Amino acid sequence: MKRIRPLNQEKREAILKAAIEEFYTKGFEGSSMDTISKLANVSKATVYNHFKNKEELFLSVATIIRERIEESFKYTYSNIIDIKTQLKQIAKKEMNFLNSKDNMKLIQIITIVMIQKNEIGLKLLEIFEDDCMIMTSQWFQDAKIDGKLDFESSHFVSKQFVGMLKSFAFLPQLYGSAMLSKEEENKVIEEAVYMILKLYKK
Amino acid sequence: MKRIRPLNQEKREAILKAAIEEFYTKGFEGSSMDTISKLANVSKATVYNHFKNKEELFLSVATIIRERIEESFKYTYSNIIDIKTQLKQIAKKEMNFLNSKDNMKLIQIITIVMIQKNEIGLKLLEIFEDDCMIMTSQWFQDAKIDGKLDFESSHFVSKQFVGMLKSFAFLPQLYGSAMLSKEEENKVIEEAVYMILKLYKK
Amino acid sequence: MKRIRPLNQEKREAILKAAIEEFYTKGFEGSSMDTISKLANVSKATVYNHFKNKEELFLSVATIIRERIEESFKYTYSNIIDIKTQLKQIAKKEMNFLNSKDNMKLIQIITIVMIQKNEIGLKLLEIFEDDCMIMTSQWFQDAKIDGKLDFESSHFVSKQFVGMLKSFAFLPQLYGSAMLSKEEENKVIEEAVYMILKLYKK
Amino acid sequence: MKRIRPLNQEKREAILKAAIEEFYTKGFEGSSMDTISKLANVSKATVYNHFKNKEELFLSVATIIRERIEESFKYTYSNIIDIKTQLKQIAKKEMNFLNSKDNMKLIQIITIVMIQKNEIGLKLLEIFEDDCMIMTSQWFQDAKIDGKLDFESSHFVSKQFVGMLKSFAFLPQLYGSAMLSKEEENKVIEEAVYMILKLYKK
DNA sequence: CATGAATGAGCGTTCATTCAT
DNA sequence: TATGAATGAACGCTCATTCAT
């Protein structure tokens, strides 16, 4: 059941889509509300009816991204499934997220703003508190408690693990390299899991 | 006979210094030639005498950065020194570069533009083709030939090695995390070297 | 049969109240229909249902003010009461009006528009044709006919009289000076009446 | 001797002239930098090269006005010339100023802004501290000391005197009435001087 | 009758760039 | 060569107004 004429949802989505596109190609500063409104086929004033200002529009885009990320990094430790399998599943889930053109687009957008660290960049930092790392870190902690892995700091190890994935599937792509093929992806996962087990398996 | 310094070199350098500062704090789009000229204590027109336009000024800044990076990643394989020592030296050199506030500043600047991949970002990509990786990769190749390490692809392994360092000393800092302390730095180096040896030492 | 209150009267009044406040603080140009509608707690479209446009809303405000002024300046000559007393009563009445913060507010609002004499200012002039002066002038005319005062032009004298009051209780306040205290007010009245009698009493 | 290429003085003056015209017809809020620049036949950016922003442009206009006023109200007491003559001269000088269309234009401009009492209106108040009144008041003080006139407060009397003039030559014109003819002007001066002498001459 | 949504036109301001001197 | 001055185009944003519901 629709709310009585909410701000026309189609237009809102058209604007967000246009904004993502524009922020992606031009960054926050480089983007213009004029262009966004034209891309979305609405008047500039309409954009301002939906979003208080450029910053809020951007933050809305950022929130969308954040939700996708959060979704992609949920994983909880199981003491039934064998750890090698679990590690692979975690890696696969993360790779799934990273190895998507759309997601990288979104990440690039927020990367730019977070690097610029204006007020708005700082707000982003608050929004983005690295959940991915936190959840993976929790998994390692649980695996340690369960006596399956042995190391000092779960935080350090999870950074090693995720870092290994990101070395191949994030950093290069951040700078424009091509996405990984399915085989490459598998190889990277395989090697990262192998490394962790070799280094820390009890 | 041409004069060697047809344009006042001091002013040129003042402009470049101002530009680095400005590009860092505001990004490419956010920076204004006006502000740069004021920071450099020259007239705006003078900036344009030295640099055809904003883009060329930026590219000049980028070139400076590139030179510094190149300088920092030179390392050639030695069959005399033991590989653990060499790996540590390589790691130390790279960490030295990454773990400096100024260098991170510069990297952040070019990161933004490279992500945005406008014409100007693409030009940057040409300039930057990851030398660091290439040189480190060469070292692993030589170590393999020398029979000290065993793996399939030197490219893959060097990415693992450097990636491990970057996980701790680059990615977080790109997004604004604090630099590593000397102890943390050492720990990271230690672990990365340990990992490579554990995985690939013959 | 027409309904007497075809539009919700409460809302209409809320709008007018909001408009007075807004026009006062921001002037005609500085005021926005948006703000007025928000202040009045109605939708912008409702404002337009009640008042064709910004100008007509303003004119409605002006009419309210005019009515208050007219009310304040009614005074008719009496051949029974002694003229000194009557002059004092006239002065008191005018001072009563002028020496009120709210009234000055309203006068300031219309002053701005009348000075600007756009179409809308001209319409105001038609509305306002200085009743106050006309009525006071009539009193002097009657006093002359009654043989109590002697002068050439009643118009001139009434301007002297009212002008003397306005010098102290209008012009300075128009520009933001504080209202007169009761004592100051009395002194001004006293002196103005004294002046008229000294100059024109038969 | 000219300063080396000062901001093209012609353009500056064209802008100021245009600004006076525009501020006069539209008030501060209603005026647009766009229109002003078009009136002045320069680009909008040029206006901003000469004046930091709209407010400063306005304040510049205000300063011009203030200088004219100051010029017009200088008068110092003389114990040689007879006071009736002096009073007439003072009145004539003030009337000269008030009874000029250009001056009234300028006064109307600042009146609007002073009434609106934004930040900028308050700045105006600082600029305008009623010199006219102060100087005339001083004259009355001197006349009293010289034993030619007798009253309590020179401030009060000067307000009476100037107020009498303004009643005829300022207030009506502020609201758009026609300027006084030479005869009317003389009559007003005559009567104001007569009033002062009748009330306060020793 | 009241409203949420939409819009074209305009705002004050800044920009990268050019040009005469 | 170095500069002050100029500019057209664009920016983020707000406005008075309209219209479908």
Side-chain angles (χ1 to χ4, degrees):
Chain A
M1 197 182 80
K2 274 193 217 153
R3 301 187 61 241
I4 327 138
R5 286 229 274 133
L7 279 182
N8 189 328
Q9 207 60 29
E10 267 175 51
K11 296 215 164 162
R12 190 190 168 87
E13 263 150 41
I15 293 167
L16 279 169
K17 205 182 146 208
I20 289 178
E21 192 52 36
E22 172 78 349
F23 284 136
Y24 172 60
T25 36
K26 315 258 190 72
F28 179 76
E29 299 288 349
S31 294
S32 102
M33 296 297 266
D34 235 319
T35 311
I36 290 172
S37 70
K38 261 163 212 154
L39 267 176
N41 257 313
V42 297
S43 83
K44 219 197 314 187
T46 298
V47 176
Y48 278 91
N49 279 345
H50 286 262
F51 305 93
K52 196 166 109 253
N53 51 32
K54 197 185 178 185
E55 181 178 325
E56 207 180 73
L57 173 54
F58 183 85
L59 257 16
S60 294
V61 169
T63 302
I64 291 176
I65 302 175
R66 192 214 129 85
E67 277 159 15
R68 279 200 220 174
I69 294 180
E70 205 161 341
E71 185 59 34
S72 291
F73 285 82
K74 267 180 200 148
Y75 196 93
T76 41
Y77 182 77
S78 149
N79 51 10
I80 298 164
I81 309 169
D82 119 87
I83 45 162
K84 188 173 177 183
T85 311
Q86 286 192 60
L87 274 171
K88 275 195 185 171
Q89 284 170 346
I90 294 174
K92 217 163 242 161
K93 221 172 174 197
E94 305 203 348
M95 285 303 256
N96 239 24
F97 177 80
L98 293 175
N99 211 12
S100 127
K101 241 191 159 148
D102 277 355
N103 289 337
M104 275 310 295
K105 245 194 197 186
L106 297 174
I107 285 182
Q108 288 177 324
I109 294 173
I110 63 162
T111 295
I112 289 175
V113 179
M114 286 179 70
I115 289 177
Q116 286 172 179
K117 277 191 299 288
N118 318 329
E119 267 172 79
I120 168 170
L122 295 174
K123 281 184 193 159
L124 268 189
L125 267 174
E126 283 171 36
I127 294 185
F128 273 94
E129 273 310 335
D130 201 346
D131 300 281
C132 136
M133 204 56 82
I134 287 163
M135 301 194 82
T136 314
S137 177
Q138 184 59 48
W139 185 91
F140 277 101
Q141 187 60 27
D142 294 344
K144 184 183 173 186
I145 289 164
D146 196 32
K148 297 291 184 4
L149 294 174
D150 184 36
F151 45 72
E152 263 178 50
S153 151
S154 65
H155 189 65
F156 189 91
V157 174
S158 84
K159 224 163 177 172
Q160 280 189 303
F161 182 56
V162 177
M164 194 82 331
L165 303 175
K166 284 191 177 169
S167 287
F168 291 89
F170 175 76
L171 253 186
Q173 287 72 18
L174 185 63
Y175 290 99
S177 283
M179 295 290 136
L180 298 184
S181 68
K182 263 299 160 225
E183 294 94 53
E184 289 169 321
E185 194 183 304
N186 281 331
K187 167 114 202 268
V188 169
I189 294 173
E190 216 67 59
E191 293 284 342
V193 172
Y194 175 74
M195 178 195 79
I196 291 295
L197 296 177
K198 181 108 185 183
L199 292 176
Y200 304 116
K201 188 162 189 192
K202 230 172 175 169
Chain B
M1 193 183 80
K2 274 192 217 156
R3 299 198 56 224
I4 293 169
R5 299 225 255 90
L7 290 160
N8 186 328
Q9 202 64 22
E10 269 175 48
K11 297 214 163 165
R12 189 189 170 87
E13 263 151 40
I15 293 167
L16 280 168
K17 204 181 150 209
I20 289 177
E21 191 52 35
E22 174 76 352
F23 283 135
Y24 173 62
T25 37
K26 314 258 189 70
F28 180 77
E29 298 290 347
S31 296
S32 100
M33 297 296 265
D34 228 322
T35 313
I36 290 172
S37 70
K38 258 163 213 152
L39 268 175
N41 257 315
V42 297
S43 86
K44 224 193 315 184
T46 300
V47 176
Y48 278 90
N49 282 340
H50 284 263
F51 305 94
K52 190 165 116 249
N53 52 30
K54 199 184 178 186
E55 181 181 324
E56 206 179 75
L57 173 56
F58 183 85
L59 255 16
S60 296
V61 168
T63 302
I64 292 177
I65 299 174
R66 189 211 129 87
E67 278 160 14
R68 282 200 219 173
I69 292 180
E70 205 161 340
E71 185 59 35
S72 290
F73 284 83
K74 269 181 199 147
Y75 195 92
T76 40
Y77 183 76
S78 149
N79 51 10
I80 298 163
I81 309 167
D82 118 87
I83 46 163
K84 187 174 178 183
T85 312
Q86 284 192 60
L87 273 170
K88 276 195 185 171
Q89 283 170 346
I90 294 173
K92 217 164 242 163
K93 220 170 177 197
E94 305 203 348
M95 287 300 259
N96 241 22
F97 177 80
L98 292 175
N99 211 11
S100 127
K101 238 183 169 160
D102 277 352
N103 289 336
M104 277 308 296
K105 257 192 194 186
L106 300 174
I107 285 179
Q108 289 178 324
I109 296 172
I110 61 166
T111 294
I112 289 175
V113 181
M114 285 179 69
I115 290 178
Q116 288 175 184
K117 277 190 302 286
N118 316 328
E119 275 168 72
I120 165 170
L122 293 174
K123 282 183 194 158
L124 266 188
L125 263 176
E126 285 170 35
I127 295 183
F128 271 93
E129 270 313 338
D130 203 344
D131 300 282
C132 137
M133 205 55 83
I134 287 163
M135 301 193 83
T136 314
S137 177
Q138 185 59 51
W139 184 91
F140 276 100
Q141 188 59 29
D142 294 345
K144 184 184 174 187
I145 290 164
D146 195 30
K148 297 292 184 3
L149 293 173
D150 184 35
F151 45 73
E152 261 177 52
S153 150
S154 66
H155 190 64
F156 189 91
V157 175
S158 83
K159 223 161 178 172
Q160 280 190 302
F161 182 56
V162 176
M164 194 81 329
L165 302 176
K166 285 190 176 169
S167 287
F168 292 89
F170 176 75
L171 254 187
Q173 288 71 20
L174 184 63
Y175 290 100
S177 283
M179 296 288 137
L180 299 184
S181 68
K182 263 301 162 224
E183 293 97 54
E184 290 169 320
E185 196 184 304
N186 281 331
K187 166 116 203 265
V188 169
I189 293 173
E190 216 67 59
E191 294 283 342
V193 171
Y194 175 73
M195 176 196 80
I196 291 294
L197 295 178
K198 181 112 184 178
L199 293 177
Y200 304 116
K201 188 161 188 193
K202 231 173 176 170
Chain C
M1 192 182 83
K2 273 193 216 157
R3 299 198 55 225
I4 293 168
R5 299 222 254 92
L7 291 161
N8 185 328
Q9 202 63 23
E10 269 174 47
K11 299 214 163 167
R12 188 188 171 86
E13 262 151 39
I15 293 167
L16 280 168
K17 204 183 149 211
I20 289 177
E21 190 52 35
E22 174 77 350
F23 284 134
Y24 172 61
T25 39
K26 313 258 188 71
F28 179 76
E29 298 289 346
S31 296
S32 100
M33 296 297 264
D34 229 322
T35 312
I36 290 171
S37 70
K38 258 163 215 153
L39 268 176
N41 258 315
V42 297
S43 85
K44 224 192 320 182
T46 300
V47 176
Y48 277 90
N49 281 340
H50 286 264
F51 305 94
K52 191 166 115 249
N53 51 30
K54 199 182 177 186
E55 180 179 326
E56 205 179 75
L57 173 54
F58 183 85
L59 254 17
S60 295
V61 168
T63 302
I64 292 177
I65 300 174
R66 189 211 129 88
E67 279 160 13
R68 282 201 220 171
I69 293 179
E70 205 160 341
E71 185 59 33
S72 290
F73 284 84
K74 271 181 197 147
Y75 196 93
T76 38
Y77 183 78
S78 148
N79 50 11
I80 299 164
I81 309 168
D82 118 86
I83 44 162
K84 187 174 178 182
T85 310
Q86 285 192 62
L87 272 171
K88 275 194 185 173
Q89 283 171 345
I90 293 172
K92 216 163 238 163
K93 219 171 177 199
E94 305 205 347
M95 285 303 255
N96 239 21
F97 177 80
L98 292 175
N99 212 12
S100 129
K101 236 182 172 166
D102 278 352
N103 289 334
M104 276 310 294
K105 256 194 194 187
L106 300 174
I107 285 181
Q108 288 178 324
I109 296 173
I110 61 165
T111 295
I112 289 176
V113 181
M114 285 180 69
I115 289 179
Q116 287 173 185
K117 276 191 303 285
N118 315 329
E119 276 168 71
I120 166 171
L122 292 174
K123 282 182 194 159
L124 266 188
L125 264 175
E126 284 170 34
I127 295 182
F128 271 93
E129 270 312 335
D130 203 343
D131 301 281
C132 135
M133 203 57 79
I134 287 164
M135 301 194 82
T136 314
S137 178
Q138 184 60 51
W139 185 92
F140 275 102
Q141 187 60 27
D142 294 344
K144 183 182 175 186
I145 289 166
D146 196 34
K148 296 291 184 7
L149 294 174
D150 185 37
F151 44 74
E152 261 178 50
S153 150
S154 66
H155 189 66
F156 189 91
V157 174
S158 84
K159 222 161 179 172
Q160 278 190 304
F161 182 55
V162 176
M164 194 82 328
L165 302 175
K166 285 191 176 171
S167 286
F168 291 89
F170 175 76
L171 254 186
Q173 287 72 18
L174 185 64
Y175 290 99
S177 283
M179 295 290 137
L180 297 185
S181 68
K182 264 298 161 228
E183 293 96 56
E184 289 169 322
E185 196 183 302
N186 281 331
K187 165 116 203 266
V188 169
I189 293 173
E190 215 66 60
E191 293 285 341
V193 171
Y194 175 74
M195 177 194 79
I196 290 296
L197 296 178
K198 181 113 184 178
L199 292 177
Y200 305 116
K201 187 161 189 191
K202 227 166 175 174
Chain D
M1 197 183 75
K2 272 192 219 158
R3 300 186 63 245
I4 327 139
R5 284 231 275 133
L7 281 180
N8 189 329
Q9 207 60 30
E10 269 175 47
K11 297 215 164 163
R12 189 186 170 89
E13 263 149 41
I15 293 167
L16 280 169
K17 204 182 148 209
I20 289 178
E21 192 52 36
E22 173 77 350
F23 284 135
Y24 172 61
T25 34
K26 314 258 190 70
F28 180 76
E29 300 287 349
S31 295
S32 102
M33 295 298 264
D34 233 321
T35 312
I36 290 172
S37 70
K38 259 161 213 154
L39 267 176
N41 257 313
V42 297
S43 83
K44 222 200 306 189
T46 298
V47 175
Y48 278 90
N49 279 344
H50 287 262
F51 304 93
K52 193 164 114 255
N53 50 32
K54 197 184 178 185
E55 181 179 326
E56 207 179 74
L57 174 54
F58 182 85
L59 257 16
S60 294
V61 168
T63 302
I64 292 177
I65 301 174
R66 193 212 128 87
E67 277 159 15
R68 280 202 220 171
I69 292 181
E70 204 160 341
E71 184 60 34
S72 290
F73 284 82
K74 269 181 198 146
Y75 195 94
T76 39
Y77 182 78
S78 149
N79 50 11
I80 297 166
I81 309 169
D82 118 88
I83 44 162
K84 185 172 179 186
T85 311
Q86 285 192 61
L87 272 170
K88 276 194 183 171
Q89 283 170 346
I90 292 173
K92 215 164 241 163
K93 222 173 173 197
E94 306 202 348
M95 285 303 256
N96 239 23
F97 177 80
L98 293 174
N99 210 13
S100 126
K101 222 165 187 175
D102 277 352
N103 289 336
M104 274 311 293
K105 245 194 197 188
L106 299 175
I107 284 181
Q108 288 176 325
I109 295 173
I110 63 162
T111 294
I112 289 175
V113 179
M114 286 179 71
I115 289 178
Q116 285 171 180
K117 276 192 298 289
N118 317 328
E119 268 173 76
I120 168 169
L122 294 175
K123 281 185 193 157
L124 268 189
L125 267 174
E126 283 171 35
I127 294 184
F128 273 94
E129 275 308 336
D130 202 345
D131 299 280
C132 136
M133 204 54 82
I134 288 164
M135 300 194 83
T136 314
S137 178
Q138 185 59 51
W139 185 91
F140 276 101
Q141 188 61 26
D142 293 343
K144 183 183 174 187
I145 290 165
D146 197 33
K148 297 291 183 6
L149 294 174
D150 184 36
F151 45 73
E152 260 176 54
S153 150
S154 65
H155 189 65
F156 188 91
V157 174
S158 83
K159 222 161 178 173
Q160 280 190 303
F161 182 55
V162 177
M164 194 80 333
L165 302 176
K166 285 191 175 169
S167 288
F168 291 89
F170 175 77
L171 253 186
Q173 287 73 17
L174 185 64
Y175 290 99
S177 284
M179 294 290 136
L180 299 185
S181 67
K182 264 297 161 228
E183 293 94 55
E184 289 169 321
E185 195 184 305
N186 281 332
K187 167 115 202 270
V188 170
I189 293 173
E190 215 67 59
E191 294 284 342
V193 171
Y194 175 74
M195 175 195 79
I196 290 296
L197 296 177
K198 181 112 186 177
L199 293 176
Y200 304 117
K201 186 157 190 193
K202 227 167 176 174

